[in-house]
Amino acid sequence: MTYTLPDLVWLFFLYSFIGWCIEVCYASIRRRQFVNRGFVNSPICPIYGFGAVLFALFLPELTGNLFFLFLGGMLLATVLEYSTGMLMEKIFHKKLWDYSKIKYNAGGYVCLRYSLLWGILAVVTMLFTNQFFCGILKLLPHPVAVVILWAAVILFLLDFITSAMAVQGMKISIKRLSNLSDEMQHTSKFLENRLTAVIQKRMIKSFPAITRENLENSIRERNKRKESTVFAEGCSFYKLVSLFFIGAFLGDITETIFCLITTGTLMSRSSVVYGPFSIVWGLGCSLLTLFLYRYRNKNDRYIFLAGTLLGGAYEYICSVFTELVFGTIFWDYSDFAFNLGGRINLLYCFFWGIAAVVWMKLIYPGLSRWIEKIPKRLGTVLLNILIVFMLIDMAISALALSRYTERHTAEAAVTASSEISSLDKFLDSHFNDDRIERIYPNAKIVP
């Protein structure tokens, strides 16, 4: 089944509402009173909606194999739940849900019991409920469906912004206890209107873990990081960005040498048109560090297993993403044993596991110390420049790839018969087929 953008938006809201109903019933039974468990005020839990959208995007080709469909859904949802849990703890300085007392948990964010349940839900949604919901939605008159969908999106965005302001207002309220500038006091008074107060009261009631002490600790830690003279201390934003660039560069060089040794051909392995950077490796280094940082002192077997699963899921998602967005695949493992759709194979998943152990145990500690020795002001300026450069590089690369795909598909005939835009002319002259094929020698256009 192929999903359109409106289908995905509908599924997001439908499953967010169903998830909200489940959460409310569960919490109400436990506390014997009605509790709105959503982060926003609307009757939706976005994490369920995002999970359903991820399933619809990345799992359709696995529907022919129940085991891989189950495993893919379990991994996708587990990574989503883990990431959301980490983000919420970063905001509130407290876990909004905690599975620490349940066996086989990871940091209290996820546990095997609920991950298995996510896998079962993935099978049910992909094989049954998605088709049912999409069939019902097609019965709606198109103008009515468009109006409802736009209204839902606008209301959700307003609700999310209001809830985010309420959280910010909670932090600002605490800051007012110390000596603040008049401007900050004015901002806090603006945020502390009646609506914000209602939202804050609801959130504290829905998530008892949110307390004034948690928010004070969060603010205290943030101020401590600002006052620190160490650049990119701990697992901070600039540390992860630094690792991204180092990993992207080293990954490109490593793949180039590997291809030269195994095939005898010197070929580009870069993901972007300017510079030797492999985005897949860069993001892989950053994400592995982000997810495994708190477990870096664990047993090697634990890190190997986590790296194998996370690396396999990550590579699969990257493959599907590039095919969906650019109509191009950059690697194909169809000739390897134990491959899944040519996107991943068991051998390379084990390589991800080995890489995770080597990275967290041998490379990361020394690299982290080296990064933290960079003067703070110099490091901040340098990384900001590199971030801007990479964003521009990625944007140009995406446009060049899209134009390359367009030149080699049925759309090329239409484009040739119509007037070419100035942007297309620029891309055609600066990134012709020869140059694109030199940069991406293994790229294959797919329907």
Side-chain angles (χ1 to χ4, degrees):
M1 180 176 179
T2 303
Y3 299 93
T4 63
L5 181 59
D7 289 338
L8 295 175
V9 179
W10 275 115
L11 292 177
F12 169 80
F13 284 111
L14 285 170
Y15 285 107
S16 293
F17 175 71
I18 294 172
W20 178 85
C21 293
I22 295 172
E23 290 280 346
V24 166
C25 291
Y26 178 74
S28 299
I29 291 172
R30 288 189 63 188
R31 302 188 199 177
R32 297 184 180 180
Q33 61 177 344
F34 175 80
V35 179
N36 180 0
R37 285 284 293 172
F39 177 78
V40 295
N41 299 287
S42 308
I44 58 176
C45 277
I47 189 172
Y48 290 91
F50 284 121
V53 171
L54 289 177
F55 294 161
L57 284 174
F58 296 108
L59 301 182
E61 61 188 35
L62 302 183
T63 51
N65 188 310
L66 283 180
F67 173 75
F68 283 120
L69 178 61
F70 168 81
L71 182 63
M74 184 181 76
L75 289 176
L76 277 176
T78 299
V79 172
L80 174 64
E81 188 174 20
Y82 192 97
S83 305
T84 305
M86 287 183 65
L87 178 63
M88 291 295 101
E89 185 178 9
K90 197 75 172 177
I91 294 173
F92 297 110
H93 204 67
K94 188 73 175 179
K95 291 185 176 71
L96 299 193
W97 62 86
D98 192 354
Y99 302 141
S100 299
K101 296 181 180 179
I102 301 177
K103 290 186 68 175
Y104 309 116
N105 73 87
Y109 302 120
V110 296
C111 66
L112 182 60
R113 180 195 304 175
Y114 291 117
S115 292
L116 293 173
L117 179 59
W118 275 112
I120 295 171
L121 291 176
V123 174
V124 173
T125 57
M126 294 303 297
L127 296 184
F128 303 105
T129 55
N130 280 5
Q131 297 179 23
F132 172 75
F133 286 140
C134 289
I136 294 295
L137 293 171
K138 288 179 181 178
L139 300 177
L140 286 174
H142 182 67
V144 175
V146 171
V147 170
I148 294 175
L149 204 58
W150 273 108
V153 170
I154 292 171
L155 290 174
F156 170 71
L157 291 176
L158 291 174
D159 194 1
F160 182 83
I161 292 171
T162 305
S163 299
M165 289 180 65
V167 173
Q168 186 65 22
M170 293 168 73
K171 294 183 178 182
I172 291 176
S173 297
I174 295 172
K175 286 183 178 180
R176 289 180 63 197
L177 296 176
S178 58
N179 294 326
L180 294 175
S181 64
D182 294 337
E183 182 180 355
M184 182 63 75
Q185 291 185 24
H186 175 73
T187 304
S188 84
K189 289 177 182 177
F190 169 74
L191 288 171
E192 289 182 347
N193 53 40
R194 182 169 297 180
L195 178 61
T196 302
V198 170
I199 296 173
Q200 292 172 355
K201 184 178 179 180
R202 179 192 65 77
M203 293 184 70
I204 292 175
K205 181 181 178 182
S206 301
F207 303 101
I210 303 175
T211 63
R212 173 181 172 142
E213 182 181 356
N214 301 145
L215 295 172
E216 286 177 339
N217 290 336
S218 178
I219 294 168
R220 194 177 297 114
E221 283 199 1
R222 184 181 299 175
N223 291 336
K224 185 179 178 181
R225 287 196 299 270
K226 288 181 179 179
E227 294 170 0
S228 174
T229 57
V230 179
F231 173 66
E233 190 173 8
C235 190
S236 61
F237 171 75
Y238 282 118
K239 176 66 68 60
L240 294 174
V241 173
S242 301
L243 295 175
F244 165 80
F245 281 103
I246 294 171
F249 175 74
L250 294 180
D252 181 88
I253 300 301
T254 302
E255 281 205 33
T256 301
I257 296 173
F258 178 79
C259 289
L260 180 62
I261 294 173
T262 56
T263 66
T265 305
L266 184 64
M267 65 174 70
S268 168
R269 303 300 296 168
S270 178
S271 302
V272 288
V273 294
Y274 298 118
F277 299 107
S278 173
I279 302 301
V280 173
W281 279 97
L283 285 176
C285 289
S286 296
L287 292 176
L288 274 177
T289 305
L290 177 64
F291 286 121
L292 300 180
Y293 178 76
R294 64 177 61 209
Y295 312 113
R296 61 193 183 281
N297 297 321
K298 289 262 188 182
N299 188 284
D300 291 356
R301 289 174 295 178
Y302 185 94
I303 296 177
F304 172 80
L305 178 61
T308 299
L309 294 175
L310 287 173
Y314 169 67
E315 191 171 13
Y316 187 93
I317 290 171
C318 288
S319 177
V320 175
F321 175 80
T322 54
E323 184 174 334
L324 287 174
V325 175
F326 304 115
T328 308
I329 56 175
F330 294 91
W331 59 85
D332 187 359
Y333 302 138
S334 299
D335 295 333
F336 285 74
F338 306 108
N339 76 84
L340 185 58
R343 302 187 187 281
I344 59 174
N345 68 80
L346 188 60
L347 177 62
Y348 283 10
C349 286
F350 287 155
F351 282 169
W352 278 106
I354 296 170
V357 175
V358 173
W359 176 259
M360 296 306 301
K361 294 293 187 178
L362 301 177
I363 300 176
Y364 172 75
L367 197 59
S368 176
R369 289 192 295 270
W370 179 82
I371 292 171
E372 291 177 1
K373 289 180 180 178
I374 300 174
K376 188 172 184 178
R377 184 182 295 275
L378 174 64
T380 303
V381 172
L382 180 61
L383 274 189
N384 285 334
I385 293 173
L386 286 174
I387 290 170
V388 173
F389 163 76
M390 184 55 68
L391 290 175
I392 295 173
D393 196 2
M394 291 172 67
I396 295 175
S397 302
L399 290 171
L401 270 172
S402 297
R403 180 58 182 165
Y404 172 78
T405 303
E406 186 181 282
R407 288 196 298 263
H408 290 266
T409 58
E411 294 177 17
V414 178
T415 305
S417 62
S418 60
E419 194 172 329
I420 300 178
S421 67
S422 56
L423 176 60
D424 289 339
K425 289 179 181 178
F426 171 82
L427 295 172
D428 290 342
S429 61
H430 288 78
F431 302 101
N432 54 33
D433 291 353
D434 289 339
R435 184 174 181 183
I436 291 295
E437 288 164 7
R438 282 199 307 272
I439 299 172
Y440 307 109
N442 290 330
K444 297 179 182 178
I445 299 173
V446 294

